Amino acid sequence: MITNINDSFRCLPQSYLFSDVAARLRKYKELHPEADIVRMDIGDVTLPIPQASIQAMHRAVDDMASSETFRGYGPEQGYDFLREAIAENDYHARGLSVKADEIFISDGAKSDLGNLGDLFGDNFIVALPDPGYPVYSDSNVIDGRAGELEDGRWSNFIYLEATPENGFVPEPPFEHADVIYLCFPNNPTGASITLEKLQAWVDYALREGALLIYDSAYEAYITTTGTVHSVYEATGAERCAIEVRSFSKTAGFTGLRCGYTVVPHSLKGRYKDGSEVEVRTLWNRRQCTKFNGASYIVQRGAEALFTPEGRGQVRKNVETYMSNARLLREALTEAGLEVYGGVDAPYLWIKCPDGITSWEMFDRLLDNLQLSSTPGSGFGRMGEGFLRLTAFNTPEKTCIAAERIRSSQKIFNKF
Ligand code: PLP
């Protein structure tokens, strides 16, 4: 028997949101085996990997078959071919001066978001969005920074409330935070951020000596001109911000696993004795200690996304999902619902009518329209009274869902 195990696990919510959703769906299917349920709950992609990437991975597999081209352990930071392609296409092309050696390739954004906690000092004060992607909260709970759970909230966290009133873009708090998680375009609300609002966050972080962790896993979905693509568009962000990105939603890599994190040279920190250190060297040290690099084959697949063919194919996939989002938005609006998101992100955030709860709305959509969704309350207290629908589906299934929503005005009115 192991004694003295990490007590923080006991404090985590016992079940994961998506297992609750799956359990309800299972039960519904047992009772209604004939039901043709359209899944609009999980945020997983449905389209295959772009061909340019598939072909590059086939070639990379062949590289592994011959002793001249075989690759064993790669650089922990990622191969230069991919780091340079990202610097060039995702940053230099937008006039941003992120360097290849500031980019760390990983097996996805979730790992990096959880692992970044290794950089935090003792008693770091964490500020995170509510509603928000659960990894920000849960990883800090596991690391013991959360305090006590009181009425569904952790005593040591600062909750950045995202509401229709602030356009789902919270403002910097009055109190001090050591680390702030921001996510734009946002999961689950679908909101994006303007440069002016982002600048307020960067100014706050610089003033407070805080670290901004900017999750832009959905950057590829931005359609509104003038919307921020990278945190480094804000003045001074290279001195306070780390950006986390992923190929998962951009190019269907949810199963392949590849993402990256930018840690600029200019981002400095202080040890307790006041001495200064480049945060990048710490992240590099952390990765070299605990990570042996993403797969060569997958990195070749990611590199190919930046070729002209790859870029075209990625754009086509993203457009398919965003046309699904448009269709859903129109149908939901016609049905008289208050709908947010779906413009710069593949998520629609729906206000539950007549004060019903997220789970009540979930049940009603399932019972009446055979549509599955994600209850907003699973993303935090401020998500109560909202529902998330995903546009990650086939156009055919999305059309069916939109039709059911459209023809359901009576059902919605009944709410
Ligand atoms: N960040 C956000 C906001 C997400 O919604 C997700 C996945 O759903 C991730 C990060 C994780 O992405 P990855 O598949 O790269 O781990």
Side-chain angles (χ1 to χ4, degrees):
M1 176 71 77
I2 303 156
T3 51
N4 212 6
I5 210 145
N6 184 354
D7 236 23
S8 302
F9 281 93
R10 295 172 63 188
C11 309
L12 282 173
Q14 279 317 299
S15 70
Y16 183 59
L17 171 63
F18 292 101
S19 8
D20 290 346
V21 170
R24 291 243 187 165
L25 287 178
R26 237 185 345 265
K27 199 165 145 215
Y28 184 83
K29 273 192 203 148
E30 275 164 26
L31 294 172
H32 309 276
E34 74 300 338
D36 174 22
I37 298 171
V38 179
R39 296 288 301 266
M40 305 181 82
D41 48 302
I42 42 172
D44 200 356
V45 290
T46 49
L47 292 168
I49 310 284
Q51 266 306 308
S53 181
I54 293 290
Q55 283 158 11
M57 287 190 285
H58 278 302
R59 288 193 296 274
V61 169
D62 289 340
D63 287 347
M64 293 302 209
S66 126
S67 47
E68 284 79 51
T69 47
F70 165 78
R71 311 273 183 134
Y73 286 125
E76 292 89 345
Q77 304 80 1
Y79 284 99
D80 284 344
F81 61 74
L82 181 54
R83 301 171 92 192
E84 280 158 16
I86 293 167
E88 187 52 45
N89 292 280
D90 282 351
Y91 293 102
H92 302 174
R94 291 195 176 277
L96 303 169
S97 61
V98 169
K99 298 182 192 69
D101 74 346
E102 297 174 318
I103 296 165
F104 292 81
I105 311 299
S106 71
D107 62 350
K110 193 185 210 175
S111 318
D112 283 351
L113 289 163
N115 294 334
L116 281 165
D118 283 359
L119 299 176
F120 304 172
D122 303 340
N123 308 320
F124 242 42
I125 299 170
V126 177
L128 36 75
D130 180 1
Y133 183 52
V135 177
Y136 314 140
S137 165
D138 289 359
S139 60
N140 281 292
V141 173
I142 291 172
D143 289 351
R145 287 184 207 99
E148 306 300 321
L149 188 60
E150 291 157 7
D151 198 17
R153 280 194 163 176
W154 298 98
S155 55
N156 291 351
F157 290 169
I158 297 172
Y159 289 91
L160 308 170
E161 297 187 347
T163 62
E165 289 69 40
N166 62 21
F168 301 100
V169 181
E171 286 183 6
F174 292 111
E175 65 263 58
H176 170 81
D178 294 299
V179 60
I180 302 118
Y181 292 86
L182 291 183
C183 174
F184 293 106
N186 189 267
N187 176 17
T189 66
S192 54
I193 193 167
T194 60
L195 186 55
E196 190 188 358
K197 290 196 170 175
L198 178 65
Q199 191 62 57
W201 275 106
V202 167
D203 292 345
Y204 168 87
L206 291 171
R207 202 168 54 239
E208 295 290 328
L211 172 65
L212 263 187
I213 295 182
Y214 194 82
D215 179 353
S216 57
Y218 297 94
E219 180 272 338
Y221 289 85
I222 294 173
T223 61
T224 310
T225 39
T227 296
V228 167
H229 283 255
S230 165
V231 71
Y232 302 114
E233 289 172 39
T235 308
E238 69 288 353
R239 286 183 282 122
C240 64
I242 286 176
E243 180 155 281
V244 181
R245 285 202 186 174
S246 169
F247 294 104
S248 283
K249 305 300 162 71
T250 309
F253 273 42
T254 50
L256 279 177
R257 310 305 305 144
C258 197
Y260 66 87
T261 283
V262 179
V263 189
H265 283 285
S266 319
L267 177 61
K268 307 269 171 54
R270 269 188 213 291
Y271 287 116
K272 276 195 195 112
D273 68 3
S275 56
E276 207 177 273
V277 63
E278 241 187 46
V279 174
R280 187 194 157 282
T281 62
L282 304 186
W283 184 243
N284 187 50
R285 186 73 177 82
R286 188 259 168 229
Q287 292 298 81
C288 291
T289 304
K290 296 192 183 179
F291 184 57
N292 252 338
S295 138
Y296 168 70
I297 298 166
V298 170
Q299 291 191 63
R300 280 293 187 203
E303 179 196 20
L305 300 169
F306 295 106
T307 60
E309 310 79 65
R311 288 157 65 100
Q313 291 157 5
V314 164
R315 206 173 314 118
K316 201 155 160 268
N317 284 7
V318 167
E319 276 166 12
T320 301
Y321 293 132
M322 290 313 280
S323 109
N324 290 346
R326 249 188 325 274
L327 205 64
L328 289 172
R329 235 184 110 91
E330 283 163 14
L332 291 158
T333 310
E334 268 178 46
L337 291 162
E338 204 177 313
V339 190
Y340 303 93
V343 175
D344 291 319
Y347 296 118
L348 295 114
W349 190 239
I350 301 151
K351 177 100 184 85
C352 306
D354 301 332
I356 63 169
T357 67
S358 299
W359 276 109
E360 282 168 347
M361 179 79 167
F362 171 94
D363 284 337
R364 291 199 193 181
L365 277 190
L366 187 59
D367 289 341
N368 294 298
L369 306 181
Q370 284 76 53
L371 297 182
S372 73
S373 55
T374 309
S377 51
F379 296 97
R381 184 189 287 176
M382 301 310 289
E384 180 56 276
F386 288 88
L387 197 79
R388 192 193 76 173
L389 288 188
T390 158
F392 289 128
N393 216 324
T394 60
E396 295 72 28
K397 289 233 164 104
T398 307
C399 274
I400 295 172
E403 265 322 299
R404 288 185 193 170
I405 293 166
R406 264 205 193 89
S407 61
S408 71
Q409 298 224 5
K410 275 200 272 335
I411 297 164
F412 286 118
N413 291 341
K414 209 172 67 186
F415 288 166

